Amino acid sequence: MNSIDIDTPEVLERVQTGVKAFDDLVMGGLPRARTTIVGGTPGSGKTVFATQFLAHGITMYGESGVLVTFEEPPRDIEANMRGFGWDLARWRREGRLAFVDASPPTDEEMVIGDFDLGGLLSRILHSVKAVNARRVVLDSLTQLFDHFIGDPRIMRRELFHISNALKQAGLTVLMTAERNSEYGEITRHRLEEFVADNVVILRNVLHREKRRRTIEVLKMRGSHHAEGEAPFTLLANQGVVAVPLSSLRLEQQSSMVRVTSGNRAIDEMCGGGFFRDSVTLVSGATGTGKTLLVTNFLAGGVAAGEKAILFGYEESRGQLFRNASGWGVDFARMEEEGRLRVICLYPEAQGLPDHLLTIQALVDEFQPNRIAVDSLSALERIASDTGFREFLISLTSFIKKREIAGLCTATSKSLVGGQSASEQHISTLTDSIVLLRYIQEQDTMHRGLMVLKMRGSEHAKEIRRFTIDGAGMHLGAPFREAPDVFAGGGDYAR
C-alpha cells in the first residue's frame, strides 16, 4: 500500500494504555497507528510501561500484541513481569501475544558496516498476522544501535522503514530507548527526530536520598496534551500508576452541611462546625494540642454515627491509643465497632506517591465520613518541595471529591509563632485553618487558639486561651491584648 492511499481520519482515534492517569495526560490515549518513543535512564520503568501497554490491550481492550525484544530473552521478560500480575506466558499460549526474540546471543559478534533490517520487519509482520495484533512494542532500540556499529544514518533509515511499515499496517507502536541523563538528550541516539510521532519521558530523579519518578509527554504530533511532569510509582500487581495533577478539575460539590470538630467551643468559633466536604489545617508547635484536636475530630464523628480513619506518621498506634485514652477517648472500642480505623506508617517507608495511593485505597475500602492526617510535616521531610506540593494537591482534591471531612496537622518549626513550610504549601488548598500557639504573658506561657480562615463562613476572630487536662481541651476567654501569633517571642501587636 502506498502512503498516499491511506485514509486520513478527521479525528485521531485513541488507543488507551490502561494507565488511566496517563491517558488523561494525552487526552484519552495514544493516537492509533502512530509511533511513540518512551525514553528514560536505566531503571526508569520503560519496559514495565511498554509491557503494561500490551497487557492492558489484551486484558482490557481485546487487542492482541507483539513484543519485539532486543535485550532480554522472552523467558526472562515473562518471569520479570509476573510480579505485576501479567501472565505473558499464558497469553502467548492463547495466541493473544507473540514474541519476536531479537536479543543477541552472548557469543554473537557486533555487526559492522552496511546492513538492513528487512528480515526483522518480516518477522514482526508475520507475528502480527499470527495473533491479529493491534499493538507492537520494540524494547529497546538502544540495544539495537549498540549491536550494529557503523554509520548511524543507516540504522535510522532502517528504523524509519520499520516504523513506517507498522504504521501503514494500522499498528500502534511503542518503542523504548535509553537516555544518558534525566534532563539531557531525549534519547542516546536521537531517534525521536526520525521515527517518533510522540515522545514520552520517564524520569527517576534522586533527591534527598529518595527517588522521585515522573512521566512527561514531550511531544504528541497533531494532538493536544498536558504539559509538565506528573508523578508516578510502580506497584506490585499493578505496574505503572500515575498521578496526573493536570487532569484534576475543580468539579467537586460544595455542601452547606456542617459537621462537628469534636469540640463544641471550636464549633461555635467556626460558625457551627466544619463544612462536611472541606479540608481543615491545624497548625501549631509541638505540644500545643494538634493530636488532641485530631482525637476530638475523630471521636466527634464516631459519636455522630460516622466512620473515621486516621493516618498517623509521627506516633505509633500504641501511642495514639494511649494518648486518646488519657483524654477519655477509647480508640480500641471504636475500632472493634468498625467505626474507626487507625493506620500508622513511617514516612520513610515509601515515597509520597505510594503514600497517596495507600490513603486512596484504604479510604475507598473503608468508606469513612471523615479523615485525619497527622502530620503533614512528617511527610514533608521525605520529598522535594515540588513533590510535596503535588502530594498536597492530590490529597486535598481526593478528599473533596469523596465529599468527606478532612483534617490535617502541620508542625511549626519554632515553639512561639512562625509557620512551617507545610503551612505555606497547604494554606491556599485548605478551606479552614486553625492556629494553635504558645503565647507568653510576663513570666507565664499560655496556649492560644484562633480560627484564621473559614472559607464560605463567618467565624470568630479572637484568640482564645485554652487548657488541656484529662478531659481534653477547654477554651477560655480571649486574650485581652492582641498577641502577634505569627512572630516569635510572643510579641504583642502595637
Side-chain angles (χ1 to χ4, degrees):
M1 181 187 296
N2 190 297
S3 60
I4 61 175
D5 297 329
I6 301 174
D7 291 334
T8 303
E10 294 183 358
V11 179
L12 288 175
E13 183 183 352
R14 299 290 176 170
V15 178
Q16 291 180 282
T17 65
V19 183
K20 183 181 180 309
F22 173 78
D23 289 341
D24 290 340
L25 291 177
V26 293
M27 308 301 139
L30 298 173
R32 186 173 293 283
R34 295 288 180 90
T35 300
T36 300
I37 285 281
V38 178
T41 54
S44 57
K46 302 183 296 298
T47 300
V48 176
F49 182 85
T51 308
Q52 190 165 346
F53 170 69
L54 293 178
H56 284 176
I58 293 170
T59 60
M60 300 171 64
Y61 306 109
E63 295 189 349
S64 300
V66 171
L67 175 53
V68 184
T69 172
F70 298 107
E71 186 173 11
E72 299 177 273
R75 181 179 301 174
D76 289 353
I77 295 176
E78 289 178 351
N80 295 338
M81 295 300 135
R82 202 168 293 140
F84 296 106
W86 306 323
D87 193 346
L88 304 187
R90 178 169 61 85
W91 298 336
R92 176 172 50 79
R93 291 192 297 270
E94 294 173 350
R96 296 193 286 171
L97 173 68
F99 280 98
V100 174
D101 185 3
S103 59
T106 54
D107 57 348
E108 185 173 331
E109 297 180 352
M110 300 296 179
V111 176
I112 301 175
D114 199 1
F115 59 91
D116 71 70
L117 298 178
L120 174 63
L121 176 60
S122 297
R123 292 175 62 192
I124 296 173
L125 292 176
H126 175 76
S127 297
V128 166
K129 185 177 180 181
V131 299
N132 193 25
R134 303 295 304 278
R135 304 179 182 212
V136 174
V137 163
L138 281 70
D139 180 49
S140 112
L141 296 183
T142 305
Q143 298 302 317
L144 191 62
F145 266 77
D146 292 344
H147 184 68
F148 292 93
I149 300 174
D151 189 343
R153 290 177 298 180
I154 298 175
M155 176 59 74
R156 291 167 183 158
R157 178 199 67 196
E158 294 300 312
L159 280 178
F160 176 79
H161 288 159
I162 291 178
S163 172
N164 207 36
L166 297 180
K167 287 165 58 178
Q168 290 189 24
L171 297 162
T172 306
V173 184
L174 197 152
M175 301 178 174
T176 68
E178 288 193 2
R179 312 179 70 199
N180 290 326
S181 63
E182 300 293 357
Y183 291 96
E185 295 286 347
I186 294 175
T187 61
R188 186 180 301 169
H189 300 286
R190 302 186 64 184
L191 304 170
E192 67 282 355
E193 299 176 13
F194 304 92
V195 298
D197 300 296
N198 320 310
V199 176
V200 176
I201 301 296
L202 302 180
R203 295 190 177 90
N204 189 20
V205 180
L206 181 63
H207 179 80
R208 292 185 186 175
E209 302 178 348
K210 283 284 185 181
R211 292 283 179 181
R212 175 174 177 261
R213 296 183 183 274
T214 63
I215 188 168
E216 179 182 11
V217 181
L218 206 61
K219 167 185 171 184
M220 190 66 61
R221 185 172 289 161
S223 172
H224 177 64
H225 61 86
E227 296 183 350
E229 299 179 56
F232 78 93
T233 187
L234 296 178
L235 296 180
N237 296 317
Q238 294 188 51
V240 173
V241 180
V243 186
L245 303 180
S246 55
S247 67
L248 299 179
R249 303 283 188 271
L250 290 171
E251 297 172 340
Q252 55 270 16
Q253 300 296 317
S254 294
S255 168
M256 296 302 292
V257 176
R258 302 270 188 166
V259 297
T260 178
S261 67
N263 185 301
R264 184 176 300 175
I266 296 177
D267 288 348
E268 293 172 355
M269 293 182 69
C270 294
F274 303 144
F275 286 116
R276 184 186 63 190
D277 46 9
S278 66
V279 179
T280 299
L281 173 68
V282 176
S283 170
T286 181
T288 49
K290 299 185 298 299
T291 302
L292 171 56
L293 277 190
V294 168
T295 303
N296 288 341
F297 176 72
L298 298 172
V302 172
E306 299 177 351
K307 294 170 68 176
I309 191 167
L310 166 63
F311 292 90
Y313 299 102
E314 287 189 333
E315 298 178 275
S316 67
R317 277 174 54 90
Q319 288 175 301
L320 291 171
F321 279 53
R322 182 189 62 194
N323 295 341
S325 176
W327 296 315
V329 177
D330 191 347
F331 272 0
R333 179 181 56 80
M334 294 177 185
E335 277 205 328
E336 289 174 2
E337 295 173 349
R339 314 302 300 179
L340 174 68
R341 193 161 180 183
V342 179
I343 311 296
C344 294
L345 295 169
Y346 272 115
E348 288 79 6
Q350 54 189 4
L352 277 187
D354 299 87
H355 279 296
L356 177 66
L357 294 172
T358 299
I359 292 172
Q360 292 178 344
L362 290 172
V363 166
D364 287 339
E365 175 190 324
F366 189 60
Q367 296 290 313
N369 304 96
R370 52 180 66 195
I371 175 177
V373 178
D374 184 30
S375 79
L376 292 174
S377 302
L379 294 172
E380 180 186 355
R381 67 173 181 254
I382 67 169
S384 63
D385 287 349
T386 301
F388 185 60
R389 181 165 181 79
E390 290 170 347
F391 169 81
L392 291 177
I393 293 172
S394 300
L395 176 64
T396 54
S397 173
F398 172 77
I399 292 173
K400 292 181 179 181
K401 280 186 176 179
R402 292 296 185 280
E403 298 184 18
I404 57 181
L407 187 143
C408 304
T409 67
T411 303
S412 304
K413 292 183 177 179
S414 59
L415 288 177
V416 180
Q419 61 178 193
S420 69
S422 308
E423 293 175 42
Q424 298 171 14
H425 283 297
I426 199 173
S427 59
T428 58
L429 303 174
T430 56
D431 302 285
S432 310
I433 298 178
V434 176
L435 292 183
L436 303 179
R437 291 289 188 261
Y438 289 117
I439 297 173
Q440 184 176 0
E441 280 185 330
Q442 303 300 325
D443 57 352
T444 303
M445 189 66 76
H446 301 276
R447 289 187 175 97
L449 180 149
M450 73 172 297
V451 179
L452 184 65
K453 169 185 173 183
M454 188 75 191
R455 187 173 284 161
S457 172
E458 281 295 320
H459 60 87
K461 306 297 192 298
E462 71 269 18
I463 304 171
R464 299 274 297 272
R465 301 170 188 269
F466 72 90
T467 58
I468 297 175
D469 60 20
M473 177 181 290
H474 307 280
L475 268 66
F479 285 87
R480 282 180 292 181
E481 296 186 47
D484 186 351
V485 297
F486 300 105
D491 293 338
Y492 280 71
R494 304 301 181 191

